[in-house]
Amino acid sequence: MAGEMCPSPNIPAQWPMMGTVGDDGVGSVPQLLCSCPPTASRGGHWGAWMPSTISAFEGTCVSIPCRFDFPDELRPAVVHGVWYFNSPYPKNYPPVVFKSRTQVVHESFQGRSRLLGDLGLRNCTLLLSTLSPELGGKYYFRGDLGGYNQYTFSEHSVLDIVNTPNIVVPPEVVAGTEVEVSCMVPDNCPELRPELSWLGHEGLGEPTVLGRLREDEGTWVQVSLLHFVPTREANGHRLGCQAAFPNTTLQFEGYASLDVKYPPVIVEMNSSVEAIEGSHVSLVCGADSNPPPLLTWMRDGMVLREAVAESLYLDLEEVTPGEDGVYACLAENAYGQDNRTVELSVMYAPWKPTVNGTVVAVEGETVSILCSTQSNPDPILTIFKEKQILATVIYETQLQLELPAVTPEDDGEYWCVAENQYGQRATAFNLSVEFAPIILLESHCAAARDTVQCLCVVKSNPEPSVAFELPSRNVTVNETEREFVYSERSGLLLTSILTIRGQAQAPPRVICTSRNLYGTQSLELPFQGAHRLMWAKIGPVGAVVAFAILIAIVCYITQTRRKKNVTESPSFSGGDNPHVLYSPEFRISGAPDKYESREVSTRDCH
């Protein structure tokens, strides 16, 4: 047949013909009267060839290519044929689509069917026009060679009436990788040729129209290809294809949504987070990806929570300073990964300061004390003594106190205080300065009636020993002589009181001596008060009498010691000699409410 392009029956005919692209972007297609099945074999067998399936748009036409064969020995004068719909058996009275003998057809096919092929040339190609959905189904051909030589071929063609173009998208579309999307429509109507155009392809790429292509079974399709490199923004994009038939109102559209695969990008995450100790903190991580990502919250390489989701929360209840740090969110799928970090800063009051350094020093040494703490934000650190600030630092966690050469005045209690806007904590520490005894100027003697009291106030560290010396008689009394000496310590001060009672008013000469491992100091105690005037008034005669009395007192103390050493008794009994007592009348700050009184006696001293 003129214009017919028929491939060899032994060679598959896939995409054998391609049209050219016109200026309007629509491919011009070669005109073809019919498509050719493989030549039927000559050899005396009944057989037919036609496509198993064929498609056409509603309202258009379709040419069903068909060839048949029969035994050569029959040699019919005329060959007739019948097309049946949905059944090959005449006894079932199937609808007649076409009949060459009578031209009598079923009402559904009246004016819609005609034979394109020449039955004498064993070509049974059928043309159906003005297609409607009820014409979709199976079509069978029956050869009629006269008499009993009639044969209904089991081979048949299924007609599919379509309304939308077929958009073919690759099974996997990956962002950044070029993709080819095709639009395919049936082109099996020789009277109407479709023209293809793309819808919604702006920004994706320009279409390439391949033209009219032949399929394996002799049917034809019109194909248009769209090449583009998709982005993540193209995911879910609705891409359409339109098939229009010139000089008609027939127009068909089909759409496909792009499923673009792309790696995760974290699009939602907390900025730096500040939280007060004990409060609730919620960290969120959200990622955009296709398919959905596996989200993982991590800290210091440890997985805290993970899930396949578009967003994932990490809830921290009653946060502690130990949860302060950097948290990482990892988003990953089969196409890549992304990660970001967020820093959580837990704000809290200072911890109780710790003090390291010298707590005991010898006078003149250098003392270094370090006070440290932890807090967020960093604290103000202050070291003070008796409300006097000695050192301070702002927004630091450590404070060094340097005392180049300590003195006894540096001895005492110190405080290290740490504070920020969330609270204050303090630690007390003591610095003990060791030094030689210092007899203070308030040390003195005083006489009242028949009693003499000598007060020796000593400042030292460690505690010193104190002795009272009466040089006129070479007699020394210390705090072990509790019948005569009372001692009391308060802090660095040691107060010792020597109390003697006699009938005379002559003040003795008394020397206080104090010593510890760092040194010794002695001081002759001055007499204070009205008794100095009285001493001046008694004159030389009184002085002799007073001196005699003093000698008697000294002798009394000496005799008492001797007796004590012999008897080891804490008290003595005697006759009418003067008594020596602890006086309940002399008081110092911090002394007990009552002094213990013990009575002793002595003999005459010759």
Side-chain angles (χ1 to χ4, degrees), residues 175 231-236 259-269 285-295 309-312 329-340:
T231 63
R232 66 177 59 243
E233 291 76 18
N235 183 47
D259 183 20
V260 181
K261 309 296 184 181
Y262 54 91
V265 173
I266 295 177
V267 296
E268 181 185 11
M269 196 168 188
C285 177
D288 174 37
S289 72
N290 186 26
L294 172 65
L295 294 177
E310 293 182 354
S311 62
L312 183 64
C329 176
L330 174 66
E332 56 185 335
N333 64 12
Y335 301 95
Q337 65 177 26
D338 190 20
N339 66 83
R340 283 178 58 185

